[in-house]
Amino acid sequence: MSFTPDSALLARLSRGEISFAVVCGGAVVHECMGRGIGPALDALDRLPDKLAGAEVYDTIVGKAAAALFILGGVCAVYAGTVSDSAVALLERAGVECRWGVRTEQIVNRTGDGLCPFEQAVLGCAEPADCLPVIRETLARLRAAK
């Protein structure tokens, strides 16, 4: 397969109309507006049948999101911004990846450090190792609010 991102979805992502979409067989089967890792984790938890073999479009993909996509069985990912570690993980798993911007790391929302999820999974070698770490990090961040 040679993944060519859908131009209409790319336009909607760039205009901020959506932040996340799942495409199966050329049809959009899920889309949403969300922040951070939430849309990817939600898709893995609620839409596992739609992720397998799907294309995913996301505004920002770090290593944590990449791990979730691999665990869900996606075949291709488009990221508005992607980290080097996400690309490496996706490529190692045989998932095609395209992006608008590639960066060394994903920074946090305040821009003064690493994304907490990117930080949390730094030491994880396999996608399956990332999932419990992502859930623990999310629970800790939600409890701190």
Side-chain angles (χ1 to χ4, degrees), residues 18 32 35 80 115 125:
I18 59 171
C32 67
R35 294 179 65 182
C115 162

Side-chain angles (χ1 to χ4, degrees), residues 95-133:
V95 177
E96 289 194 64
C97 185
R98 304 287 183 270
W99 55 83
V101 174
R102 183 170 173 172
T103 186
E104 185 177 335
Q105 301 172 319
I106 303 298
V107 297
N108 63 23
R109 291 181 184 156
T110 57
D112 61 359
L114 201 57
C115 162
F117 294 97
E118 189 99 329
Q119 178 73 47
V121 300
L122 275 176
C124 297
E126 298 299 323
D129 299 334
C130 295
L131 186 57
V133 173

Side-chain angles (χ1 to χ4, degrees), residues 24-106:
C24 291
V28 177
V29 295
H30 174 73
E31 62 182 39
C32 67
M33 268 309 283
R35 294 179 65 182
I37 198 82
L41 187 57
D42 188 50
L44 181 66
D45 288 344
R46 295 185 327 113
L47 308 167
D49 57 319
K50 292 186 170 128
L51 280 183
E55 299 171 359
V56 170
Y57 293 73
D58 201 345
T59 52
I60 299 174
V61 176
K63 183 178 178 182
L68 297 177
F69 299 147
I70 292 164
L71 292 172
V74 304
C75 66
V77 173
Y78 174 84
T81 300
V82 69
S83 70
D84 290 340
S85 59
V87 172
L89 195 65
L90 290 165
E91 287 179 347
R92 193 175 82 211
V95 177
E96 289 194 64
C97 185
R98 304 287 183 270
W99 55 83
V101 174
R102 183 170 173 172
T103 186
E104 185 177 335
Q105 301 172 319
I106 303 298

